[in-house]
Amino acid sequence: MTELNNISDQEMIQKEFEALLEDYKQSPHRQKIGIITSAFEFANQAHQGIRRRSGEPYIMHPLAVARIVVKEIGLGSTSICAALLHDVVEDTDYTVEDIESRFGPKIASIVDGLTKISGGVFGQQASLQAENFRKLLLTMSEDVRVVLIKIADRLHNMRTLQAQPLEKQYKIAGETQYIYAPLAHRLGLFPIKSELENLSFKYEHPDTYAELEKKLEKVKGAQMEMFEQFAQPIRNKLTMMGYDFELHGRIKSIYSIWKKMTAKQVPFEEVYDLLAVRIIFTPKLDMSEKDQCWMIYSALTEMYKPHPERIRDWISTPKANGYEALHVTVMGPEGLWIEVQIRTRRMHEIAEKGLAAHWKYKTGFNEEETELDKWIRTIREMLQNPSPNAVDFMDTFKLNLFAEEVFVFTPKGDIRTLPQGATVIDFAYLLHSELGDHCIGAKVNHKLQPLSYQLRGGDQVEILTSHTSHPAMQWLDWTETARAKERIKKYLRKQGVLSEQALQASEQVMDEQAEEKTKKIKSVVLTDDNINVLYKLEPCCHPIPGDEVLGYRDLKGQIQIHRVECPIAARHKSQHGKNLLSATWDITGANTYKQTIRIEGIDKVGLLIQVLYTISENYHVNMTDMQFSAKDGVVTGTITLNVHSLAEVNKIFRGLYNIKEIKALTRV
């Protein structure tokens, strides 16, 4: 049987390697089959006899990562070899020197970088490994291929996460959502970013994911029919204009649909813009790409009415990660809004392959520094004075992984890019460190504004300074960018105001004590008797029976229970993954739990009485507090209930939605 398995394994491994070579041959890179074959044979021999938790030979993982590197990120032979070898030094007796002697210094350097960061912020001791996290950023600023391969490694781990135990799934999904997805977005890897978010959501909210997946499957056919109806006039017009083009329709991801449902507090049935359309064309040589995108926009809006507030021009001012496109939302068939993205083939490749394609199209001759180049430079500057506390440093770094930007102008009209929520202080430090250190306020659009003023797109900002002004602790609350926070902390540490070494040391001791105190515990079962005795239901998210929950062992060894989607839990998942526990409910329904619901609706005489009657008489639920207000015909309010479970809350919601004036119900 073992011999048969070995034969089957060898066939599977060889088939996957041949698929990798086929992917590579389809790429535009100079073909270096020999060195890739050597790297594969070396890694295959090094991992001989080792299996993954799923049961397959370990070499299948490096092969899968290498395929992602070439096919989905667009890197070449050096990165493919490094991907094949990325676990050899960490998991076998071979050294970086062995890699260098066989494959040269560049491949060895990338493998070394991947090995160094494997135990850092992305390993088991994230909260204790400040130096390893610093190594990650240092390596990224020197050769970003290290991080691109690390993202490919994480993507494959997420694709095979079902083989891991539940608490490990929470940890890996949590840090993926917290660091990897934003990092992929920042590097322009949009398809990978989207898949990482979707997979994280799938493992954090399996029941909700399955429910939405089922609902989406039912409407996909109708959505694609609508796409064909919408697309045909566009095809005819672009053909008449003489363009070589592609027209694609895609359904939004389950995660993005859930985000919209959550943000707007609407059910799936009321998410109307499920469909997005993409126009990808080859530009003509006698006109600029920008002009041709606007010509296609003009042709499109002659056929379909545009939404005046949903036009996004990422061509005149590309996103900080290099993304370029023209977005417009138009009224399609059946009165539904459809977002259309207009891109040239060059723009599309940058949008799909991110950094690799971005650099491919740079000419190198007197070319202006892009926002992506500036970001990599900012990372280098951050490394000069990193915070000794790894968790704090990781939070600071994450601030630079912003998804949305605002564009503001200097007094001379130069454009600067900042994250949404950035303030006058952030802008001052962006221009110059000394300017930030002595900032006292700003003239924004010729009006005096304080340091805490949040900048809006299109603002023109003139920084005001005084030599007597210096950073204060409160400034940290008024800043959004990593650059500003690190500079302020540097000044405060120098003045003796901020000392983090002691905090880090005490946290490490307490963390170790907590782990020792409750380390046979891997999962908890919540019962009527142990809730809020052994296990505390946290007030940040108010979990109730029926919620998807997890346990977190805090620094005192006590076990907190959070809802899976709780923002506090997200931080725990990403930074203290070893302290996570799986948690399930086993309750009789004898106890009640406080749950506050928010109600929004159209005001009318007797509405409140109707609401109270529905809750108390129809569902026999006790109410302990309520607050309501009405303005301009709209009523909003909250009611705190004593409920037995999530199922009971859902029943109450269904009953209240039968009151036609009730428009939105949410748990607080």
Side-chain angles (χ1 to χ4, degrees):
M1 177 66 79
T2 304
E3 189 175 340
L4 285 173
N5 281 345
N6 287 340
I7 293 171
S8 176
D9 286 348
Q10 289 168 15
E11 290 175 349
M12 178 171 62
I13 292 166
Q14 188 60 34
K15 186 177 179 181
E16 187 69 4
F17 176 61
E18 288 169 3
L20 168 64
L21 290 183
E22 190 58 35
D23 289 339
Y24 180 58
K25 289 171 185 175
Q26 298 299 320
S27 77
H29 295 284
R30 190 156 51 98
Q31 301 293 289
K32 296 182 179 178
I33 303 293
I35 193 169
I36 292 174
T37 303
S38 297
F40 161 67
E41 290 171 350
F42 183 83
N44 193 22
Q45 180 271 321
H47 293 301
Q48 192 74 40
I50 303 172
R51 292 186 179 273
R52 300 189 82 208
R53 182 179 281 271
S54 62
E56 67 180 11
Y58 192 87
I59 189 63
M60 296 296 287
H61 169 64
L63 279 167
V65 174
R67 291 193 68 185
I68 293 169
V69 159
V70 64
K71 191 173 184 178
E72 300 181 52
I73 301 181
L75 298 176
S77 59
T78 299
S79 299
I80 294 170
C81 291
L84 288 168
L85 299 165
H86 79 272
D87 279 334
V88 166
V89 173
E90 184 180 3
D91 293 347
T92 74
D93 294 331
Y94 288 105
T95 65
V96 174
E97 289 70 29
D98 294 329
I99 302 293
E100 183 169 358
S101 67
R102 291 171 183 254
F103 300 102
K106 179 50 68 178
I107 291 173
S109 172
I110 296 174
V111 171
D112 187 35
L114 288 160
T115 303
K116 282 176 179 173
I117 65 176
S118 63
V121 69
F122 304 124
Q124 293 292 321
Q125 303 290 323
S127 60
L128 314 178
Q129 297 285 347
E131 184 55 29
N132 275 351
F133 186 34
R134 182 178 174 279
K135 286 174 183 173
L136 162 71
L137 299 185
L138 183 63
T139 311
M140 182 172 77
S141 69
E142 291 173 352
D143 192 334
V144 80
R145 286 179 291 188
V146 171
V147 173
L148 293 174
I149 296 168
K150 191 68 186 173
I151 288 172
D153 176 53
R154 174 49 57 108
L155 179 58
H156 184 248
N157 284 335
M158 287 300 294
R159 287 173 175 173
T160 56
L161 194 58
Q162 71 274 7
Q164 297 290 344
L166 192 61
E167 68 275 5
K168 199 84 178 280
Q169 289 179 6
Y170 282 143
K171 174 193 178 296
I172 294 171
E175 66 187 20
T176 298
Q177 189 78 284
Y178 192 79
I179 286 289
Y180 281 96
L183 186 55
H185 179 93
R186 199 61 179 78
L187 297 175
L189 301 167
F190 292 105
I192 289 178
K193 170 248 187 190
S194 181
E195 186 176 353
L196 289 175
E197 287 177 335
N198 221 39
L199 287 170
S200 297
F201 179 64
K202 177 180 180 179
Y203 286 102
E204 290 191 325
H205 302 273
D207 294 340
T208 307
Y209 185 94
E211 182 186 348
L212 290 176
E213 187 177 40
K214 193 174 178 181
K215 288 182 176 180
L216 196 59
E217 198 59 40
K218 285 183 179 178
V219 301
K220 265 185 181 176
Q223 289 288 321
M224 295 317 293
E225 278 181 26
M226 184 170 70
F227 164 69
E228 287 302 325
Q229 185 183 346
F230 175 77
Q232 196 53 51
I234 302 174
R235 288 195 185 101
N236 295 341
K237 185 66 175 178
L238 292 178
T239 302
M240 284 176 56
M241 294 170 73
Y243 279 109
D244 173 21
F245 66 92
E246 297 169 31
L247 202 56
H248 300 292
R250 63 181 183 86
I251 306 294
K252 288 186 174 178
S253 71
I254 291 175
Y255 173 73
S256 64
I257 292 168
W258 177 78
K259 262 184 76 176
K260 180 153 284 192
M261 288 168 58
T262 307
K264 296 194 170 183
Q265 295 298 332
V266 294
F268 173 84
E269 290 73 20
E270 291 182 28
V271 178
Y272 297 117
D273 53 346
L274 295 175
L275 180 67
V277 174
R278 197 171 281 160
I279 298 171
I280 305 162
F281 70 98
T282 303
K284 299 173 184 176
L285 298 177
D286 56 345
M287 293 175 64
S288 72
E289 289 187 353
K290 179 180 175 180
D291 288 346
Q292 292 179 74
C293 285
W294 281 107
M295 281 177 59
I296 291 173
Y297 163 85
S298 180
L300 177 68
T301 53
E302 283 178 8
M303 291 178 273
Y304 299 108
K305 187 177 179 61
H307 192 302
E309 296 177 4
R310 290 172 70 178
I311 297 170
R312 300 288 181 267
D313 179 6
W314 301 116
I315 299 174
S316 302
T317 314
K319 285 190 175 185
N321 52 24
Y323 180 81
E324 295 175 76
L326 186 58
H327 292 195
V328 58
T329 300
V330 298
M331 181 68 76
E334 301 176 22
L336 297 180
W337 292 109
I338 297 175
E339 183 187 74
V340 182
Q341 301 169 359
I342 302 170
R343 306 173 178 173
T344 64
R345 295 194 188 279
R346 177 191 65 81
M347 295 173 188
H348 179 65
E349 189 173 356
I350 290 173
E352 295 289 299
K353 301 288 176 63
L355 199 65
H358 170 77
W359 280 340
K360 170 184 170 183
Y361 285 104
K362 289 187 71 172
T363 62
F365 297 104
N366 300 320
E367 189 157 350
E368 186 179 342
E369 187 180 41
T370 67
E371 291 295 335
L372 202 48
D373 298 323
K374 291 174 187 173
W375 183 68
I376 296 293
R377 178 165 52 79
T378 302
I379 296 301
R380 292 193 184 102
E381 292 172 3
M382 282 174 61
L383 292 167
Q384 294 171 4
N385 292 286
S387 161
N389 185 303
V391 172
D392 183 55
F393 189 33
M394 186 162 74
D395 279 345
T396 304
F397 171 68
K398 188 181 182 296
L399 294 175
N400 258 21
L401 302 179
F402 49 81
E404 298 296 332
E405 301 100 14
V406 293
F407 300 102
V408 297
F409 295 89
T410 67
K412 293 182 178 179
D414 296 327
I415 292 180
R416 294 289 185 271
T417 308
L418 286 157
Q420 218 163 46
T423 64
V424 164
I425 303 177
D426 291 304
F427 185 70
Y429 277 112
L430 178 66
L431 296 177
H432 198 279
S433 296
E434 287 294 318
L435 207 60
D437 283 347
H438 299 293
C439 181
I440 57 172
K443 284 185 179 177
V444 180
N445 305 324
H446 308 293
K447 285 185 177 180
L448 194 62
Q449 297 290 358
L451 294 173
S452 58
Y453 173 82
Q454 288 194 359
L455 299 170
R456 301 186 182 106
D459 280 347
Q460 188 170 34
V461 186
E462 179 187 354
I463 298 297
L464 306 175
T465 61
S466 168
H467 287 296
T468 60
S469 175
H470 298 286
M473 186 72 78
Q474 192 175 17
W475 285 25
L476 292 171
D477 296 328
W478 294 342
T479 50
E480 186 70 16
T481 60
R483 180 190 182 104
K485 284 187 183 292
E486 282 303 305
R487 181 73 191 198
I488 294 164
K489 287 177 183 177
K490 179 183 177 183
Y491 177 84
L492 295 175
R493 282 194 289 267
K494 192 175 179 181
Q495 300 302 310
V497 177
L498 191 66
S499 175
E500 297 175 21
Q501 288 89 340
L503 175 66
Q504 182 196 15
S506 65
E507 182 180 293
Q508 180 170 345
V509 171
M510 291 178 76
D511 219 13
E512 289 168 354
Q513 288 174 345
E515 185 177 7
E516 182 63 30
K517 187 174 178 181
T518 55
K519 66 183 182 181
K520 295 312 162 248
I521 300 177
K522 288 293 181 187
S523 62
V524 299
V525 178
L526 303 168
T527 68
D528 295 323
D529 297 327
N530 64 29
I531 290 172
N532 289 329
V533 178
L534 295 177
Y535 313 122
K536 183 186 176 190
L537 302 182
E538 288 300 294
C540 52
C541 54
H542 290 291
I544 59 176
D547 280 326
E548 293 173 344
V549 291
L550 56 79
Y552 169 70
R553 184 177 50 242
D554 68 15
L555 298 179
K556 296 177 182 176
Q558 297 170 341
I559 294 175
Q560 307 170 3
I561 303 299
H562 294 267
R563 286 163 64 182
V564 170
E565 67 269 24
C566 172
I568 305 298
R571 183 180 170 113
H572 292 329
K573 282 182 283 188
S574 64
Q575 299 170 357
H576 300 275
K578 61 189 174 64
N579 289 346
L580 290 183
L581 313 165
S582 63
T584 54
W585 302 94
D586 183 15
I587 50 103
T588 63
N591 297 338
T592 60
Y593 306 85
K594 281 191 175 181
Q595 180 67 65
T596 302
I597 64 172
R598 178 179 288 115
I599 299 174
E600 300 173 48
I602 307 301
D603 192 17
K604 77 160 188 176
V605 175
L607 177 62
L608 182 56
I609 294 174
Q610 224 178 330
V611 168
L612 300 181
Y613 184 87
T614 299
I615 294 173
S616 62
E617 295 300 316
N618 292 3
Y619 298 101
H620 309 291
V621 170
N622 187 38
M623 292 168 276
T624 60
D625 183 67
M626 66 185 72
Q627 296 179 21
F628 277 85
S629 63
K631 183 180 180 183
D632 300 331
V634 174
V635 64
T636 59
T638 59
I639 301 179
T640 301
L641 313 170
N642 284 338
V643 296
H644 297 90
S645 66
L646 178 61
E648 190 169 28
V649 173
N650 290 336
K651 282 181 183 176
I652 293 168
F653 274 22
R654 286 195 291 271
L656 291 176
Y657 270 126
N658 286 330
I659 304 172
K660 65 178 182 180
E661 288 78 15
I662 299 297
K663 300 302 179 186
L665 298 167
T666 53
R667 293 172 64 190
V668 178

